[in-house]
């Protein structure tokens, strides 16, 4: 997975996440939307300006002084915790 910051301000982040698809992006977006201090999170796989399919671009908007990079780190950690819990439950059921 390769990350490329497109734009970063105190409250907004646009970052390209190469090599991922809707499956991962939807999970990450969902975790971000549940996070404190995140007012918006979305992604786009086909920005109009690109003229075609691109790597996904994640957009995060924060509030209350929350740094969007911190929000992204917390969202990624939450995804990992969820997948680890699923793996443990699956192994226990097998």
């Amino acid at each position: 997975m390769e990350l490329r910051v497109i734009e970063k301000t105190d409250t907004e982040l646009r970052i390209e996440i190469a090599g991922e698809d809707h499956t991962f992006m939807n999970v990450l977006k969902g975790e971000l939307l549940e996070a404190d201090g995140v007012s918006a999170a979305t992604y786009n796989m086909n920005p109009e300006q690109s003229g075609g399919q691109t790597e996904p671009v994640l957009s995060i908007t924060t509030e209350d002084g929350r740094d969007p990079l911190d929000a992204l780190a917390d969202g990624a950690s939450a995804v990992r915790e969820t997948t680890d819990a699923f793996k443990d439950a699956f192994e226990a059921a097998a």
Side-chain angles (χ1 to χ4, degrees):
M1 174 184 305
E2 293 180 35
L3 305 176
R4 182 176 67 89
V5 174
I6 297 169
E7 181 180 355
K8 163 85 169 68
T9 68
D10 290 342
T11 60
E12 294 183 6
L13 174 66
R14 289 184 64 233
I15 187 167
E16 183 180 72
I17 303 176
E20 295 303 330
D21 60 17
H22 290 288
T23 304
F24 176 76
M25 297 305 296
N26 274 312
V27 171
L28 179 58
K29 178 185 79 169
E31 291 292 350
L32 286 165
L33 290 171
E34 296 293 323
D36 291 335
V38 175
S39 58
T42 189
Y43 73 93
N44 195 339
M45 297 280 287
N46 192 12
E48 290 179 25
Q49 67 273 17
S50 73
Q53 189 69 21
T54 65
E55 299 292 351
V57 175
L58 178 69
S59 299
I60 303 169
T61 304
T62 59
E63 57 193 7
D64 301 327
R66 181 93 195 262
D67 186 299
L69 282 174
D70 291 340
L72 178 58
D74 291 347
S77 292
V79 169
R80 178 172 207 121
E81 290 172 14
T82 300
T83 56
D84 286 347
F86 177 80
K87 178 184 172 195
D88 293 343
F90 179 79
E91 289 174 351

